Amino acid sequence: MSYDHKAIEAKWQDRWESEGVFHTTEDSTRPKFYNVAMYPYPSGELHIGHVRNYTYIDLITRYKMMQGFNVLSPMGWDSFGLPAENLAIETGIHPKVSVEAQITRMKEHFRKLGAAFDWSREVASHDPAYYRWDQWLFLELYDRGLAYKATAPVNWCPKDQTVLANEQVVDGACERCGTLVEKRNLAQWFFKITDYADRLLDDLDELDDWPDRVRTMQRNWIGRSAGARFRIPIKDLAASFEVFTTRPDTIFGMTFCVLAPEHPLVEELISGTEHEVEAREYIVRAARESEIERLAEGEKTGVFTGRFAINPVNGKEVPIFIADYVLMGYGTGAIMAVPGQDQRDWDFAVKYELDIVRTVDAGPDWYGEAFLGEGPTINSGFLDGLDREGAKERIIAWLEEQGIGEGAIQYRLRDWLISRQRYWGCPIPMVECPECGLVPVPRDRLPVTLPEVEDYAPKGRSPLAAVEDWVATTCPRCGGAASRETDTMDTFVDSSWYYFRYTDPHNDDAIFDRAKAEYWMPLDQYIGGVEHAILHLLYARFVTKFLFDIGLSPVTEPFMRMFTQGMLVKDGAKMSKSKGNVVPPDRYYQEYGADALRLFELFVGPPTDDAVWNDSGVPGTKRFLDRVWKMGTATHSFVERDPNDDDAVLMAETHRVLKRVTEDINRFHFNTTVSSLMSLANVFQEYLGRSPVEKTFDEAYRVMILMLAPAAPHVAHELWEMRGMGSMLANEPWPEWDESLVAESTVTMVVQVNGKVRDRVDVPADITAEEAERVALDLDKVRGWIDGAVVRKVIARPPTVINFVLG
RNA sequence: GCCGGAGUGGCGGAACGGCAGACGCGAUGGAUUCAAAAUCCAUUGUCCGCAAGGGCGUGUGGGUUCGAGUCCCACCUCCGGCACCA
């Protein structure tokens, strides 16, 4: 017997909306809970991979509401970005038109899912009322020297006349047309996130409710390392170059140097040498490769410049190479190579037959290649005998005395390049005046709105640059003719602060009101894909700290508790529109209903793991819901009798499951939450098959419905109302378990001999070790294994296990 | 390559260092049905055995432990991120 999921789900979706059940306002009398799922790019179709994520956030919203929290769970749209722009280039449809149509569709999907969002706080990053605050944020950063312009290389497709994202570069060629990609230097805007590197790193220690893997990834991404920076002179040239190393203690082991192909000194080094032609060819090849390809190269490649550097500590002349495993973007773009202590240098030295000098004593048992371990310094003149730290200190002091270097901290983190040569993004609110230079647009003239364009296709410059009457403006400072900045901002800027805007989404006077942020911030729960573990989370943390510094944000960290969920995989690939393997949820809504789909999404696997989509699972969860429905609506042949063991078993199981479900939700083990509920339904079936008492059933069933409410809200609400327990289940309190019912009086003890299970026996839960041993030795099977042998040791862990170790 | 994860039945998965495979899917057999669907019941890691029972089994190889899917070391495979997809 199936319930009418279509009618029931539509009914409750209407009631939640019309009664404003999830509409939230500040309420100082109740504890708040601010619950956010990363706002999505409005790709139009919500597929079952999205459904999984939003089911999690929805379950938490409903659960926390039942626990008495004032829950805020808003939703919005990361609606700027490349996909809508690409669609516009292909079809001429304005991104605003396509994106807003998709938002409408996605909202309908969310409704069909039964999602408990507070839609009164909806934001969309392409809305001028939103992005004017991106621009405001930019100006605040600019005023404090944290937004600056500098040149940086971009991937450039000479045929398409456009800048390419790294992911659009495949094997050094444009993904679309196959033309070899070039590097071009453009003047672009940066945010100075490196100024916050130490705080971003140190504050990770406070984020105890973040997954360790995310914190580790962030730490490694920031990559703080202490070492030294010093200059190395070049033989026969009045020039030198600077290197950074984390291992200045190994300086005596430097047997060659390597410069990045883009290093500014390269030209001077190679010109006129007999290696010039070869070196130039190498540089051109390297320029075509992406950073990842350069680092991924199995074998290190490089080319000799024909020049030698002079090791400042011992005057030794060492060859200078150009190699693409050294990046211009990290450190100084030049390294001292110490093959004895660095594996990449070792590989390179072996390949090009360069000297290897060990400066750390690896001990007699070491037969490996580069030695990274600890040991006394050797072959190093005045550093000999010192340990790593001692040698580091000594050599840094020496470099400082000589005036050629100093101790230095190096970060792997680079400043945040926010310029995009795109149309569909937030315009950067700057003006370039021939008289005054770069001038910010005054705040009272924000937003600088995106102009209409006739053609979205790139023509060698940002699409905005083609809109001449938009570009032409007057200088806010001198009033003369000036031109607007034509780049737009990285969409990560939009997403770095939207959770602040939710707290005060309609404010026209400020990005948000501090008092409102004080009530809601920080987020009590943030959920999103692990693919955002580094960039988005780091940028959001940076912007929060900046907003704190200017007195707006009440917190220095935005996300108290972070949860990163896995992806949904189908046919061996992440479910995504571009892979063409998306499964839309509509047919599940039709055939089985949103509750069955939600339940299966929860059940499909651990939320942190990737899950493989299996079509046949949803009927299973629907069967379960049908069984629960049938139990609650069919007439049972209840009997009048005194309470017996059957009643006790039902109540005990109900409370045990209640405890388990509560704990599992708290730990985000939603898959086992569902299995526990399924097991409980099986216990109900058994109970009803015996001689059920109505009062016992009603009491247990009531708890069952309450537990079902966050996961399968529609059917739970309907049952709740039908059975006359109240009119709006969402507002009912979450039940508490009775510890005395949960406790087990007897437990099955496992009896092992030499660690192998040989028998099991039911024992009282409070059995002592001595008694346990006596009971176990009484078992025929156990005696059979022990007889004739000496029991050397008994490991008793009553009441669950006892192990006899034979001698 | 670097950083971070994950490998358990036919499938998704469960398992505070203590009964490996809960729960579900699928499959097989049965009940019900004129028949089917739906529903209900039973079986379902693997090998040996009539059975009782026993052997083996959590990617591979080692180690720690009375006891390892779980902890440690090495390796293999797959996935995510690598700064202009979001």
Side-chain angles (χ1 to χ4, degrees):
Chain A
M1 196 210 312
S2 307
Y3 64 94
D4 183 353
H5 59 262
K6 282 186 207 162
I8 289 173
E9 291 179 358
K11 168 185 165 181
W12 287 98
Q13 284 155 16
D14 282 346
R15 282 199 52 189
W16 293 328
E17 193 178 307
S18 64
E19 296 178 24
V21 175
F22 305 111
H23 184 90
T24 307
T25 53
E26 294 74 35
D27 174 359
S28 57
T29 65
R30 280 191 298 159
K32 64 94 184 180
F33 192 92
Y34 187 13
N35 191 35
V36 180
M38 288 178 186
Y39 75 163
Y41 179 80
S43 56
E45 300 312 316
L46 197 64
H47 62 66
I48 52 167
H50 297 115
V51 170
R52 186 178 182 217
N53 310 348
Y54 299 113
T55 301
Y56 295 152
I57 202 82
D58 194 64
L59 180 143
I60 294 162
T61 294
R62 293 170 179 276
Y63 171 71
K64 287 291 171 185
M65 272 180 75
M66 291 176 79
Q67 286 193 322
F69 288 93
N70 185 30
V71 180
L72 172 58
S73 185
M75 183 43 70
W77 313 100
D78 188 12
S79 45
F80 271 140
L82 208 46
E85 180 154 344
N86 285 339
L87 185 76
I89 292 168
E90 271 173 47
T91 64
I93 298 170
H94 195 295
K96 180 173 166 12
V97 173
S98 64
V99 144
E100 289 182 357
Q102 287 172 335
I103 287 174
T104 306
R105 285 224 292 285
M106 286 183 83
K107 279 179 84 167
E108 187 52 30
H109 276 290
F110 277 126
R111 188 188 148 84
K112 283 187 187 159
L113 181 64
F117 293 125
D118 180 354
W119 286 107
S120 71
R121 294 170 183 265
E122 179 180 1
V123 302
S125 32
H126 78 285
D127 179 357
Y130 182 87
Y131 70 67
R132 77 177 275 193
W133 300 110
D134 278 328
Q135 295 171 344
W136 176 89
L137 177 68
F138 178 97
L139 297 174
E140 291 292 312
L141 286 158
Y142 181 78
D143 285 351
R144 288 162 183 80
L146 292 168
Y148 66 93
K149 206 168 190 183
T151 47
V154 294
N155 300 309
W156 177 258
C157 174
K159 180 164 176 290
D160 289 348
Q161 292 284 293
T162 186
V163 174
L164 298 175
N166 277 345
E167 73 154 20
Q168 297 172 307
V169 180
V170 179
D171 295 330
C174 172
E175 154 191 83
R176 209 171 302 153
C177 65
T179 311
L180 282 181
V181 168
E182 297 168 0
K183 289 270 162 47
R184 270 202 178 183
N185 282 312
L186 295 182
Q188 306 190 73
W189 286 97
F190 290 83
F191 286 166
K192 214 169 176 187
I193 191 172
T194 50
D195 268 15
Y196 282 73
D198 279 319
R199 287 165 68 189
L200 288 167
L201 190 66
D202 294 341
D203 289 354
L204 285 170
D205 295 339
E206 294 166 22
L207 301 174
D208 295 329
D209 288 325
W210 278 41
D212 284 337
R213 61 171 168 165
V214 175
R215 291 202 282 176
T216 306
M217 280 192 262
Q218 293 229 338
R219 263 185 211 111
N220 292 337
W221 186 259
I222 296 166
R224 175 162 62 194
S225 47
R229 207 193 304 269
F230 61 93
R231 299 205 72 87
I232 297 180
I234 299 164
K235 190 190 170 196
D236 300 334
L237 271 185
S240 64
F241 58 92
E242 194 176 45
V243 297
F244 171 80
T245 175
T246 55
R247 295 294 305 274
D249 54 302
T250 66
I251 187 167
F252 282 88
M254 167 169 95
T255 55
F256 60 103
C257 286
V258 185
L259 267 57
E262 303 85 358
H263 196 286
L265 208 60
V266 161
E267 183 58 37
E268 192 179 348
L269 278 177
I270 59 173
S271 67
T273 72
E274 56 186 280
H275 298 82
E276 182 171 350
V277 175
E278 198 192 342
R280 283 195 198 287
E281 280 171 9
Y282 183 82
I283 292 164
V284 169
R285 265 203 316 278
R288 289 202 189 116
E289 293 191 338
S290 76
E291 218 168 81
I292 295 170
E293 287 166 330
R294 281 171 55 166
L295 295 169
E297 192 103 3
E299 198 172 346
K300 306 282 171 281
T301 62
V303 62
F304 180 43
T305 57
R307 297 280 183 179
F308 291 84
I310 298 161
N311 188 336
V313 283
N314 56 12
K316 216 167 119 180
E317 293 176 11
V318 300
I320 303 174
F321 278 74
I322 299 167
D324 62 6
Y325 78 95
V326 174
L327 301 176
M328 201 54 225
Y330 178 71
T332 61
I335 62 161
M336 68 164 196
V338 184
Q341 269 75 233
D342 183 283
Q343 189 62 40
R344 283 176 307 177
D345 296 346
W346 175 285
D347 294 340
F348 196 87
V350 168
K351 182 167 175 186
Y352 294 97
E353 297 176 345
L354 301 162
D355 292 343
I356 295 172
V357 175
R358 290 195 183 278
T359 60
V360 179
D361 188 355
D365 298 328
W366 177 257
Y367 302 104
E369 301 183 335
F371 177 70
L372 308 176
E374 291 283 346
T377 304
I378 52 171
N379 301 323
S380 295
F382 60 89
L383 299 178
D384 279 353
L386 295 170
D387 65 7
R388 181 190 297 192
E389 287 312 308
K392 267 190 186 182
E393 267 176 47
R394 184 75 188 77
I395 189 68
I396 289 169
W398 185 86
L399 290 167
E400 284 171 359
E401 278 162 29
Q402 302 293 312
I404 54 172
E406 68 219 328
I409 305 270
Q410 179 68 42
Y411 298 91
R412 217 188 65 94
L413 180 69
R414 315 205 283 248
D415 276 339
W416 178 8
L417 198 174
I418 62 137
S419 290
R420 299 292 181 268
Q421 294 70 41
R422 310 274 183 206
Y423 173 72
W424 193 231
C426 172
I428 293 173
M430 294 294 293
V431 167
E432 181 138 19
C433 170
E435 299 300 320
C436 314
L438 288 170
V439 181
V441 175
R443 285 165 179 69
D444 59 13
R445 292 193 212 163
L446 299 183
V448 176
T449 51
L450 269 177
E452 296 298 319
V453 299
E454 282 160 24
D455 188 356
Y456 304 94
K459 290 187 194 64
R461 50 187 182 170
S462 163
L464 295 186
V467 191
E468 280 159 26
D469 55 351
W470 180 84
V471 175
T473 185
T474 51
C475 173
R477 193 165 295 158
C478 70
S483 52
R484 290 190 188 280
E485 169 66 57
T486 58
D487 284 354
T488 53
M489 291 185 212
D490 180 5
T491 57
F492 274 127
V493 177
D494 315 330
S495 60
S496 66
W497 59 276
Y498 71 103
Y499 45 90
F500 278 106
R501 187 65 179 173
Y502 281 147
T503 67
D504 192 13
H506 309 296
N507 195 331
D508 285 334
D509 302 320
I511 185 167
F512 57 87
D513 177 58
R514 186 182 158 105
K516 290 190 171 157
E518 264 169 15
Y519 181 79
W520 291 113
M521 291 297 289
L523 275 68
D524 298 278
Q525 183 67 59
Y526 195 39
I527 300 188
V530 68
E531 67 272 21
H532 294 291
I534 295 175
L535 292 179
H536 163 62
L537 291 178
L538 196 67
Y539 294 148
R541 294 180 59 225
F542 159 61
V543 168
T544 299
K545 288 180 192 305
F546 173 71
L547 291 172
F548 175 84
D549 290 349
I550 63 173
L552 253 173
S553 168
V555 295
T556 55
E557 283 291 336
F559 315 128
M560 285 296 285
R561 191 176 180 199
M562 177 70 219
F563 183 81
T564 49
Q565 95 264 320
M567 300 172 312
L568 209 46
V569 173
K570 189 169 182 288
D571 308 327
K574 168 185 176 164
M575 195 171 289
S576 77
K577 215 171 176 177
S578 57
K579 300 253 166 56
N581 61 350
V582 296
V583 177
D586 305 65
R587 61 163 273 245
Y588 299 104
Y589 291 145
Q590 286 292 315
E591 261 183 79
Y592 308 103
D595 284 332
L597 179 61
R598 291 168 59 112
L599 222 44
F600 182 66
E601 297 263 12
L602 295 170
F603 187 56
V604 73
T608 43
D609 291 4
D610 290 350
V612 178
W613 185 253
N614 177 358
D615 261 339
S616 55
V618 184
T621 48
K622 180 59 162 51
R623 261 200 288 278
F624 161 71
L625 289 174
D626 281 336
R627 278 211 301 275
V628 174
W629 175 265
K630 196 168 146 190
M631 279 176 219
T633 53
T635 37
H636 303 292
S637 40
F638 288 119
V639 298
E640 298 284 338
R641 58 160 174 76
D642 289 336
N644 65 11
D645 280 357
D646 289 346
D647 304 302
V649 166
L650 182 68
M651 290 316 293
E653 273 309 305
T654 303
H655 280 252
R656 275 176 207 143
V657 167
L658 173 57
K659 182 180 182 185
R660 243 191 339 262
V661 164
T662 307
E663 289 170 351
D664 279 352
I665 293 178
N666 290 338
R667 307 190 289 167
F668 279 62
H669 288 199
F670 303 135
N671 53 331
T672 50
T673 298
V674 178
S675 13
S676 298
L677 291 172
M678 286 174 165
S679 301
L680 183 60
N682 295 343
V683 175
F684 269 80
Q685 295 270 72
E686 270 181 50
Y687 179 77
L688 289 170
R690 292 165 186 266
S691 57
V693 172
E694 187 162 19
K695 185 170 168 292
T696 309
F697 173 78
D698 283 354
E699 204 180 322
Y701 193 76
R702 180 177 182 279
V703 177
M704 172 80 147
I705 300 305
L706 287 165
M707 287 192 285
L708 205 55
H714 308 85
V715 66
H717 276 73
E718 182 68 11
L719 283 165
W720 190 259
E721 190 188 52
M722 272 177 69
R723 293 175 61 85
M725 293 188 278
S727 65
M728 186 51 75
L729 176 55
N731 295 323
E732 294 291 330
W734 186 254
E736 281 174 31
W737 67 85
D738 181 340
E739 199 60 58
S740 68
L741 286 171
V742 170
E744 314 241 6
S745 57
T746 58
V747 178
T748 302
M749 182 172 72
V750 170
V751 184
Q752 299 177 336
V753 178
N754 282 339
K756 285 191 190 298
V757 179
R758 294 305 180 188
D759 207 354
R760 305 176 172 88
V761 60
D762 285 344
V763 297
D766 57 356
I767 195 168
T768 64
E770 291 75 26
E771 277 178 277
E773 185 175 341
R774 195 174 47 72
V775 170
L777 285 172
D778 242 18
L779 298 166
D780 290 343
K781 276 193 200 163
V782 175
R783 277 215 297 269
W785 285 97
I786 289 180
D787 275 355
V790 179
V791 176
R792 191 160 56 84
K793 206 168 169 187
V794 181
I795 314 273
R797 294 282 179 277
T800 51
V801 68
I802 186 162
N803 185 15
F804 295 95
V805 185
L806 306 185

